[in-house]
Amino acid sequence: MENASETPKPLTRLTEDETLFRDSVLEFARLEIRPLVRDMDERAQMPRALVDRLFELGVMGIEIPDHYGGAGGTFFHAVLAVEALSSVDPSVGVLVDVQNTLVANALLRWGADALQGRYLPQLASRAVGAYALSEAGSGSDAFALTTRAVEAGGEFRLTGRKLWITNANEADVFIVFATVNPDAGYKGITAFIVERGSPGLSVGKKEDKLGIRASSTCELLLEDCRVPSSHVLGEVGRGYKVAIETLNEGRIGIGAQMIGLAQGALNHAIAYTKERQQFGKAIADFQGVQFQLARAATELEAARLLVYNAARLRDNHEPFLTAAAMCKLFAADAAEHVTSLAVQLFGGYGYVKDYPVEKLYRDAKIGQIYEGTSNLQLQTIAKQILGA
Ligand SMILES: Cc1cc2nc3c(=O)[nH]c(=O)nc-3n(C[C@H](O)[C@H](O)[C@H](O)COP(=O)(O)OP(=O)(O)OC[C@H]3O[C@@H](n4cnc5c(N)ncnc54)[C@H](O)[C@@H]3O)c2cc1C
C-alpha cells in the first residue's frame, strides 16, 4: 500500500497559494477588465492604464524570481492567470501569456546573466515583451525564415520583415529570430533581444482581426537594425532550440487561454438559459438544453485536465511535448464548440454585440491557428505515438 502522503493529488486540486492567486486575478478581471471589454474590442486597442494595472497585479513577471522583482511563481501560476483573464477577455489573456510563457520564459532559460539582469527587472515592472518568429513566407514552416543577421564589429545587423507579432504595439522588448547563415538551414537561426527604439527597428501595419481584437498583431520591420552581439539569446545558430522549446511551453498557455474563454462562455450560457423564458419556463428547464450544457461542461473539463497536466508536467521537469500539443489541440476545439453553443443558446441575442458570447465565439478561432496550427499539433502527436 502506498503512503497516503505519496498519493498523487487530483489535477484540478489547487494549493492554497494557487487558489488565492487565481481568485485575485479573477476578481481583477471581473472588476477592472470586464467594463472595458466591449470598447477595447470595438476600438481594437488596449489602454496603457490597463497594462500598467497588470504589472501592479504581478501577472507580467510570474516566473521571474523575486530578486529581479518578479513574483517568483511557477509555470502553473502563469497558466492560472491566463485562464482567469481569458474568461473575461482573451485579448488580455494573450498579452499576459506571451509576456510570461514566451518572452520571460526564453530569457530565464537562455539568457546570459547580463541579459537577465538587464531585462528581467524591466519585464517584471514595466516593459511588455513580444516574440517575433513568423514571416510572410514562414508560418508553420517557421525555420524557413529569411530575416538576415550579419555580424560586423561586435554587433549584428538585422534585416527582414516579421509578421503577426502579438503585443508589437505595446512592446518594449522583442525576441527576434533571424538567420546568420541561410545555407545552414535551421542551424543558422539565432535569437536576439532587440529593444524598441533600436535604430532600424519599426512596428508596421496593425492587423484588423476577427477576434482578440484588443491584442495588437503587427508587422515588425528591421532595416539594418543594429543589435549588440551580447544580445544573442542562447548561442549563435541555436535559435531553433530557443524557438522549439519556448513554443512547446507557450502552447500550454494557449490551452489555458482557450479553457478560460470557454469557461467564460459557458458561465454566460448557464446564467442566460436559467433566466430566459420560452413556452412558459426557463429554457434551462428543457432537457435538450441541459444535455447540451452538460456535454459542453464535460468537454471543457477534459480540456482543463489536459492543460493542467501539461503544465504540472512542465513544472515537475518531466517530458511534456505530447501533452502540450494535445492540450492545445483539444482546448482550442473545445473552445470553438463551447462558444458556438453559447451563441446558439442565446438565440438571436447571441448574434449581436450587446451580449458577450458573440465576441468569445470570434475570439476562440485563433486557438486553432497561432503557436502552431491544429494540423501542426497533430503532426507532433503523430510523430510521438508512431515513433517516426
Ligand atoms: C492573431 C495572431 C497572432 C500571432 N502572434 C504571433 C506572434 O506573436 N509571434 C509569431 O512569431 N507569430 C505569431 N502569429 C503567427 C502564427 O503563429 C502563424 O499564423 C501560424 O503559425 C500559422 O502560420 P501561417 O499563418 O503562415 O499558416 P500556414 O503555415 O501557411 O498554414 C496554412 C494552413 O496549412 C496547414 N498546413 C501547413 N503545413 C502543413 C503540414 N505540414 N501538414 C498539414 N497541414 C499543414 C496549416 O495547418 C493551416 O491550416 C500570430 C498569428 C495570428 C493570426
Side-chain angles (χ1 to χ4, degrees):
M1 286 284 280
E2 272 187 14
N3 181 328
S5 66
E6 289 173 7
T7 308
K9 301 263 187 308
L11 272 177
T12 48
R13 175 87 51 82
L14 304 185
T15 64
E16 200 183 322
D17 161 67
E18 288 167 349
T19 306
L20 281 172
F21 175 73
R22 192 262 325 263
D23 290 351
S24 67
V25 179
L26 209 47
E27 186 184 59
F28 171 84
R30 287 181 181 148
L31 292 177
E32 299 197 33
I33 301 178
R34 180 159 289 157
L36 308 175
V37 171
R38 183 156 177 202
D39 191 52
M40 291 199 297
D41 182 57
E42 275 172 8
R43 288 153 38 106
Q45 264 175 13
M46 199 175 297
R48 178 68 210 195
L50 173 58
V51 177
D52 290 340
R53 289 289 293 130
L54 294 167
F55 280 107
E56 284 165 27
L57 187 67
V59 294
M60 296 297 271
I62 294 173
E63 274 194 278
I64 296 178
D66 309 358
H67 60 270
Y68 288 128
T74 61
F75 186 79
F76 194 77
H77 282 107
V79 158
L80 289 175
V82 173
E83 179 187 3
L85 294 167
S86 301
S87 70
V88 173
D89 194 342
S91 292
V92 181
V94 75
L95 177 119
V96 168
D97 177 63
V98 168
Q99 176 87 358
N100 286 285
T101 73
L102 295 181
V103 179
N105 190 10
L107 259 160
L108 281 166
R109 187 188 284 240
W110 300 95
D113 289 350
L115 274 187
Q116 290 194 352
R118 180 174 168 88
Y119 291 106
L120 290 176
Q122 292 184 34
L123 287 167
S125 60
R126 61 181 186 283
V128 174
Y131 188 89
L133 176 65
S134 304
E135 299 178 1
S138 62
S140 298
D141 187 10
F143 296 156
L145 61 81
T146 58
T147 296
R148 188 80 165 90
V150 179
E151 190 168 19
E155 61 180 20
F156 282 88
R157 290 178 174 239
L158 272 53
T159 301
R161 189 173 144 244
K162 296 290 177 182
L163 205 59
W164 311 119
I165 307 311
T166 299
N167 293 353
N169 252 2
E170 298 79 17
D172 307 284
V173 178
F174 298 83
I175 296 180
V176 176
F177 293 86
T179 178
V180 294
N181 178 5
D183 296 335
Y186 72 90
K187 288 189 175 160
I189 294 172
T190 306
F192 298 89
I193 300 283
V194 184
E195 283 186 29
R196 185 180 213 97
S198 302
L201 178 79
S202 57
V203 175
K205 177 179 160 257
K206 182 172 152 216
E207 304 298 338
D208 187 6
K209 306 196 297 293
L210 170 73
I212 55 161
R213 292 174 51 78
S215 159
S216 66
T217 312
C218 311
E219 268 184 321
L220 191 65
L221 307 161
L222 299 123
E223 289 167 58
D224 218 15
C225 174
R226 296 165 61 174
V227 180
S229 295
S230 59
H231 281 207
V232 170
L233 188 56
E235 289 168 39
V236 173
R238 304 272 283 174
Y240 68 95
K241 240 177 148 351
V242 177
I244 288 173
E245 293 192 10
T246 43
L247 286 170
N248 281 342
E249 299 182 343
R251 59 186 56 126
I252 306 174
I254 301 304
Q257 183 198 27
M258 292 295 118
I259 58 173
L261 81 85
Q263 186 68 62
L266 185 63
N267 293 347
H268 289 303
I270 289 170
Y272 182 79
T273 54
K274 283 163 90 171
E275 225 172 66
R276 171 72 174 170
Q277 305 261 329
Q278 288 292 279
F279 301 99
K281 54 183 177 178
I283 56 173
D285 288 340
F286 296 112
Q287 199 179 50
V289 170
Q290 291 172 2
F291 282 10
Q292 286 178 300
L293 288 169
R295 190 173 290 282
T298 306
E299 201 179 334
L300 171 54
E301 186 65 4
R304 178 171 290 114
L305 290 170
L306 285 172
V307 172
Y308 283 13
N309 191 46
R312 297 273 196 216
L313 285 171
R314 188 278 191 188
D315 275 336
N316 222 25
H317 310 290
E318 292 182 52
F320 61 88
L321 171 67
T322 313
M326 286 178 172
C327 91
K328 179 179 181 284
L329 173 78
F330 192 86
D333 286 351
E336 189 181 52
H337 299 159
V338 175
T339 55
S340 172
L341 175 69
V343 169
Q344 190 68 28
L345 291 176
F346 269 71
Y349 299 104
Y351 206 67
V352 294
K353 291 180 189 286
D354 295 344
Y355 292 86
V357 290
E358 172 268 349
K359 173 182 178 295
L360 292 172
Y361 179 57
R362 286 187 281 110
D363 288 347
K365 185 65 200 175
I366 192 61
Q368 297 169 339
I369 298 173
Y370 59 14
E371 296 208 26
T373 64
S374 289
N375 272 358
L376 269 285
Q377 306 309 323
L378 289 167
Q379 193 185 71
T380 299
I381 299 162
K383 235 188 231 171
Q384 297 302 310
I385 61 172
L386 296 168

